[in-house]
Amino acid sequence: MTKQVTFLMCSPRGDKSASYSLGSYVTRLLEEKGIAQQSFKIYQIIKNSQKIDEMIKSIDGSDIIVLSSPLYIDGAPYMTIKLMDIITEKNNQGKLSKKDRLLFANSNAGYLEYYHNNIALRIYEQFAEKNGFTWAGGLPIGAAGTYAMYPIPEFLKMLEPLPEDDPRKEIYEKPTKIIDSVIKTAVDHLSKGERVPESELKKLEFIPMPLQAYVDSGNKNWIDTAESLGAKDKLRDKPYELKK
Amino acid sequence: MSYLILNGMYKDDSFIPKINELVSKELVKRDVKGETIDLHKNAIKPCLGCFKCWIQTPGVCIIDDYAREVAKKMIQADNLIYLTPVHFGGYSSELKKALDRSICLMLPFFRVYKEEIHHETRYDKYPNLIVIGTLEEPNLKQEEIFSELVERNVLNNFAPKHATQIIYHSDDESTVKKKVEEGVRIVGDDND
Ligand SMILES: Cc1cc2nc3c(=O)[nH]c(=O)nc-3n(C[C@H](O)[C@H](O)[C@H](O)COP(=O)(O)O)c2cc1C
């Protein structure tokens, strides 16, 4: 019988999100291995009971669940927690049959360091445990906004022709190649019904550029965007300051 | 001195209301005045992840609903208290729906703080943070995740002082009372 994967995309930013870009890359590679995919954009279905039922049916028939989420305030966003609440409730009502299912997660942080995602991934692991899913591991991605702009394959194609001494080789191409390789190995394991080995996921434990360089470019980006929206001079406003 | 309790209980929880009452009483005893917001009774839309509260309408979320009021009350309190079931080791969705909408309280700008990337402060003063989680029974793994989550939050929300307490449904009355007292102990008058 054909294996099946359910993709749970938890970012409200839709197709423009890192969660979509990275999660859909995983599920597309699974599809290439003959695993049928059903995907759900959680922010579109969260209030629609019919769609929720469809999602539960899909999970019920799935061998693999891929949950891809942004990191909000050091943990799972509201939307992702609500999703876990719903799945747990339906599971408790007996809507999920007994079956081996792997849960693989991806958490995307705005900060540069991958490890900000670790708490969220442990929360997803607890969710898996509570629901009888086998925790297959998680991808902690830092500075994930890059992948919201450029999906991995396109990004690598863009970076490839750059001369070897171009700094973007070191700060973008090298880390992206590592993430790409970890994802491909993860997909190999998942497609065989296996967990992704810790040793593989550990390869993501790197910080690709000096913190200050990230701070400087990030801050310039905020100012430029605010300027284009006519809000540059208001960036430091304190609208809720208590009047003494 | 003021407090704000964000009650993140799910609507059929009968345990957290008791804790809420004990915490408020304890605070009033210390001459701290404030209020509880029962989040499950308030409609709050999910964060859109658009960052417009940073770069378009700085300091105010573009969605005009009750979350704006919550964010305002959060920053104006001297002491902020989260009440939540420990939920897969994290916060309840009820609590999180409001917290996600509160990033307007910090600046978009990054800085290196304690050798990590964090944000800059928007306001001159931030509330102390007390987080009280409830669990049916002890669960070491979840408690560990929960405590670490609070520690990480403190780095990001600039609380000058903070405390975490986990209260079990099975705790007897005097233990519950002790934990609540222990939790609010950090509330002094030096943050007035
Ligand atoms: C409400 C909110 C809270 C956030 N909190 C954090 C955080 O605690 N740590 C972090 O590194 N990034 C944080 N971010 C940034 C997002 O995690 C980052 O932009 C991520 O790439 C978004 O993923 P997406 O494109 O899939 O939505 C936050 C963003 C929002 C909107």
Side-chain angles (χ1 to χ4, degrees):
Chain A
M1 222 173 70
T2 321
K3 281 196 177 182
Q4 194 176 306
V5 55
T6 298
F7 175 29
L8 305 173
M9 208 295 281
C10 301
S11 170
R13 295 175 69 89
D15 294 0
K16 293 197 182 84
S17 66
S19 303
Y20 178 77
S21 169
L22 291 164
S24 66
Y25 186 43
V26 172
T27 52
R28 204 187 73 218
L29 292 174
L30 284 167
E31 253 183 337
E32 284 172 13
K33 292 189 176 288
I35 298 173
Q37 178 195 168
Q38 272 196 285
S39 67
F40 297 89
K41 290 178 180 153
I42 303 313
Y43 64 102
Q44 285 179 346
I45 69 163
I46 202 88
K47 290 202 159 191
N48 182 328
S49 59
Q50 200 183 327
K51 292 266 191 249
I52 293 281
D53 288 346
E54 266 174 46
M55 175 191 73
I56 295 295
K57 217 169 134 200
S58 173
I59 293 175
D60 188 42
S62 284
D63 308 275
I64 309 164
I65 303 159
V66 173
L67 182 155
S68 191
S69 174
L71 179 76
Y72 280 5
I73 318 190
D74 309 295
Y78 158 77
M79 192 80 75
T80 314
I81 308 173
K82 187 74 189 166
L83 170 72
M84 296 192 291
D85 288 349
I86 291 171
I87 295 174
T88 307
E89 187 189 356
K90 298 280 181 186
N91 196 5
N92 290 341
Q93 292 166 357
K95 301 272 166 65
L96 293 178
S97 54
K98 288 255 166 309
K99 181 181 162 93
D100 290 332
R101 295 181 190 90
L102 295 172
L103 178 77
F104 184 66
N106 156 232
S107 178
N108 300 302
Y111 292 156
L112 179 64
E113 307 96 331
Y114 66 91
Y115 59 77
H116 291 285
N117 293 294
N118 288 350
I119 290 174
L121 290 175
R122 283 157 71 199
I123 288 173
Y124 304 144
E125 181 178 6
Q126 288 300 307
F127 160 70
E129 212 170 90
K130 259 254 164 88
N131 280 280
F133 307 145
T134 301
W135 175 242
L139 292 175
I141 306 293
T146 309
Y147 302 107
M149 285 186 288
Y150 311 108
I152 286 182
E154 280 87 330
F155 198 33
L156 286 176
K157 254 189 231 145
M158 271 170 56
L159 295 164
E160 216 252 349
L162 296 176
E164 278 317 308
D165 57 357
D166 188 302
R168 285 170 291 182
K169 283 277 189 196
E170 184 68 21
I171 60 177
Y172 292 124
E173 190 185 46
K174 200 168 135 193
T176 306
K177 277 187 169 166
I178 299 173
I179 296 170
D180 187 48
S181 145
V182 171
I183 287 181
K184 285 177 173 151
T185 311
V187 164
D188 277 342
H189 285 279
L190 294 172
S191 66
K192 290 186 225 150
E194 297 166 1
R195 297 172 181 200
V196 183
E198 270 299 306
S199 56
E200 194 57 32
L201 297 169
K202 275 204 165 310
K203 293 181 184 162
L204 297 172
E205 297 183 358
F206 59 81
I207 293 170
M209 66 172 98
L211 300 187
Q212 195 57 47
Y214 187 75
V215 167
D216 294 343
S217 70
N219 289 352
K220 181 177 179 317
N221 187 43
W222 293 124
I223 292 172
D224 291 348
T225 321
E227 185 160 30
S228 70
L229 295 166
K232 188 179 162 204
D233 298 333
K234 295 191 281 181
L235 277 169
R236 290 178 186 270
D237 277 7
K238 301 174 182 178
Y240 299 146
E241 192 165 53
L242 261 184
K243 307 276 176 289
K244 292 254 156 134
Chain B
M1 269 276 263
S2 67
Y3 75 82
L4 174 70
I5 298 178
L6 292 182
N7 178 358
M9 67 181 256
Y10 289 102
K11 74 173 184 306
D12 49 3
D13 190 328
S14 57
F15 188 62
I16 286 187
K18 291 180 206 152
I19 308 294
N20 193 355
E21 208 181 309
L22 283 172
V23 175
S24 329
K25 268 195 191 146
E26 197 55 41
L27 288 164
V28 171
K29 229 165 70 184
R30 286 160 194 259
D31 215 17
V32 185
K33 294 179 188 64
E35 63 173 313
T36 295
I37 298 179
D38 290 317
L39 291 166
H40 70 278
K41 292 182 185 159
N42 290 282
I44 288 178
K45 294 206 173 86
C47 169
L48 297 169
C50 64
F51 299 120
K52 288 189 178 160
C53 62
W54 283 346
I55 42 137
Q56 186 170 330
T57 52
V60 180
C61 177
I62 54 153
I63 307 172
D64 186 4
D65 70 4
Y66 187 61
R68 282 190 181 171
E69 194 62 23
V70 177
K72 182 174 169 186
K73 285 174 192 261
M74 282 170 77
I75 194 64
Q76 293 186 347
D78 299 306
N79 298 282
L80 181 60
I81 296 110
Y82 300 164
L83 290 185
T84 175
V86 178
H87 198 53
F88 308 119
Y91 301 150
S92 70
S93 52
E94 292 294 350
L95 177 61
K96 205 63 203 309
K97 73 183 182 192
L99 298 187
D100 286 354
R101 297 277 305 280
S102 72
I103 59 162
C104 54
L105 300 179
M106 53 178 137
L107 285 178
F109 300 117
F110 299 123
R111 62 174 173 161
V112 178
Y113 176 65
K114 299 200 173 174
E115 293 174 55
E116 295 181 348
I117 295 195
H118 290 285
H119 286 278
E120 285 184 29
T121 55
R122 180 180 294 280
Y123 291 92
D124 300 332
K125 178 180 152 291
Y126 284 81
N128 293 322
L129 179 66
I130 299 164
V131 182
I132 299 181
T134 63
L135 266 174
E136 298 267 340
E137 53 195 42
N139 181 323
L140 263 183
K141 257 196 218 161
Q142 290 207 27
E143 289 173 39
E144 227 177 75
I145 300 169
F146 191 79
S147 304
E148 283 178 41
L149 174 59
V150 178
E151 295 298 320
R152 300 300 307 172
N153 279 180
V154 167
L155 285 173
N156 278 324
N157 73 7
F158 324 111
K161 289 191 275 180
H162 71 280
T164 314
Q165 280 295 323
I166 292 179
I167 302 178
Y168 307 124
H169 288 220
S170 54
D171 280 338
D172 59 37
E173 226 172 278
S174 71
T175 312
V176 172
K177 217 168 158 267
K178 231 167 70 196
K179 285 184 177 176
V180 167
E181 279 170 15
E182 193 60 25
V184 303
R185 214 178 48 169
I186 58 159
V187 178
D189 34 27
D190 52 345
N191 197 38
D192 211 352

